[in-house]
């Protein structure tokens, strides 16, 4: 893939994010001061109030907002007392829109923004531009063995990614450092779909399972870009009594 290394973000599993414009590498394990100094080479850094996070820092560059901060792994373990950088979120700030009028749900809008064009600045993992192609094509190119620290937010079919989270590989719970990662912290991000916001959703039967559909004058299918996570969400929606319709 032809690219300009000075004009792109590169995600390095278990390492961090190589920043554009010669700003250096945002490394997992940095403390807040080192993270702020590194992000400051891209532009003005602002603090964010993120629930359960002792700190979070954001900088804007090239049509993206990058937010960096600790994750659930930060501060765990007997030798680790300071919360360290473990999670980076890249979110598009241009060419994103919501496809339908805002729903009157106590100020909360569950619909993902929609991007119908590639981002101007590449965000690369394994030579694949995560924002440069429709999300379904990106996931197909990454394959089933894609890095466990990568998460794409839901997108509508045919849409481009709006937000990507890249995390340091987390340790399993219970002190077992040999097992696989858990999806539970990610699953919690969608809890509104089977709890407080469940009346806004329905499940449509297909020949192979269910589609998650946002109700409205123009119902919208929502693609969860992780098969296991989608299955977990659907199971909980069914158990909570979310409406099921025939496709």
């Amino acid at each position: 893939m032809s690219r300009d290394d000075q004009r792109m973000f590169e995600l390095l599993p278990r390492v961090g994010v190589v920043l554009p414009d010669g700003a250096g590498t945002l490394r997992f394990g940095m403390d807040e001061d080192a993270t702020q100094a590194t992000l400051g080479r891209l532009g003005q850094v602002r603090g964010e109030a993120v629930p359960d996070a002792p700190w979070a820092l954001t900088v804007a560059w090239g049509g993206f907002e990058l937010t960096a901060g600790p994750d659930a792994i930060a501060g765990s373990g007997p030798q680790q007392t300071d919360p360290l950088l473990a999670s980076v979120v890249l979110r598009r700030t241009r060419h994103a829109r919501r496809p339908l009028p805002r729903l009157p749900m106590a100020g909360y809008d569950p619909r993902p923004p929609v991007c119908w064009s590639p981002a101007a600045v590449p965000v690369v993992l394994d030579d694949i531009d995560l924002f440069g192609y429709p999300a379904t094509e990106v996931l197909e190119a990454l394959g089933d063995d894609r890095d466990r620290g990568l998460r794409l937010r839901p997108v509508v079919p045919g849409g481009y990614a709006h937000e990507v989270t890249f995390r340091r590989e987390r340790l399993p719970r219970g002190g077992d450092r040999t097992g696989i990662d858990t999806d539970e912290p990610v699953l919690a991000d969608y809890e509104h779909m089977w709890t407080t916001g469940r009346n806004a959703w329905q499940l449509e039967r297909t020949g192979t399972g269910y589609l998650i559909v946002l109700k409205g004058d123009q119902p919208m299918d929502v693609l969860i870009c992780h098969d296991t996570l989608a299955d977990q969400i659907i199971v909980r929606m069914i158990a909570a009594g979310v409406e099921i319709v025939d496709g």
Side-chain angles (χ1 to χ4, degrees):
M1 179 176 68
S2 176
R3 67 196 191 201
D4 181 354
D5 289 351
Q6 294 297 309
R7 295 286 303 176
M8 74 175 197
F9 297 88
E10 184 173 8
L11 310 186
L12 302 179
R14 294 172 295 282
V15 176
V17 180
V18 179
L19 302 177
D21 210 21
T25 300
L26 193 63
R27 295 184 179 275
F28 294 137
M30 282 181 165
D31 62 16
E32 181 178 4
D33 290 342
T35 300
Q36 183 162 7
T38 303
L39 292 179
R41 299 174 195 144
L42 285 182
Q44 184 174 358
V45 180
R46 69 176 189 268
E48 300 281 2
V50 177
D52 300 323
W55 60 270
L57 301 171
T58 295
V59 67
W61 196 92
F64 284 95
E65 282 191 338
L66 183 155
T67 299
D71 203 341
I73 193 175
S76 65
Q79 304 301 321
Q80 190 169 328
T81 58
D82 294 328
L84 303 176
L85 174 63
S87 182
V88 175
V89 179
L90 280 157
R91 183 181 303 106
R92 293 181 68 174
T93 58
R94 300 176 186 168
H95 308 299
R97 62 180 178 83
R98 295 191 183 276
L100 301 172
R102 190 176 181 86
L103 293 177
M105 292 177 56
Y108 180 75
D109 191 342
R111 294 161 297 175
V114 179
C115 300
W116 295 117
S117 61
V121 174
V123 177
V124 175
L125 173 65
D126 294 335
D127 275 336
I128 298 168
D129 184 358
L130 303 180
F131 294 87
Y133 303 90
T136 51
E137 295 181 22
V138 169
L139 291 171
E140 182 178 356
L142 290 171
D144 294 335
D145 59 347
R146 59 184 175 270
D147 187 83
R148 291 186 312 203
L150 178 70
R151 175 161 58 98
L152 276 69
R153 296 295 291 179
V155 298
V156 298
Y160 289 69
H162 166 68
E163 178 181 313
V164 165
T165 299
F166 190 54
R167 311 167 92 145
R168 178 174 60 181
E169 188 172 311
R170 291 169 291 152
L171 297 177
R173 295 180 177 178
D176 178 7
R177 295 170 180 255
T178 62
I180 61 172
D181 194 9
T182 173
D183 278 323
E184 288 185 6
V186 176
L187 185 64
D189 293 346
Y190 304 91
E191 187 174 1
H192 65 275
M193 297 171 72
W194 62 86
T195 56
T196 56
R198 65 180 180 272
N199 291 332
W201 300 90
Q202 63 186 20
L203 295 170
E204 180 180 311
R205 290 190 184 93
T206 69
T208 57
Y210 295 93
L211 285 176
I212 299 174
V213 180
L214 180 67
K215 295 179 182 179
D217 294 337
Q218 303 175 45
M220 184 179 73
D221 297 344
V222 174
L223 174 66
I224 306 295
C225 301
H226 188 293
D227 291 342
T228 300
L229 179 60
D231 290 343
Q232 292 174 333
I233 292 170
I234 289 169
V235 165
R236 284 159 175 78
M237 293 176 78
I238 292 173
V242 171
E243 180 184 10
I244 298 175
V245 298
D246 292 327

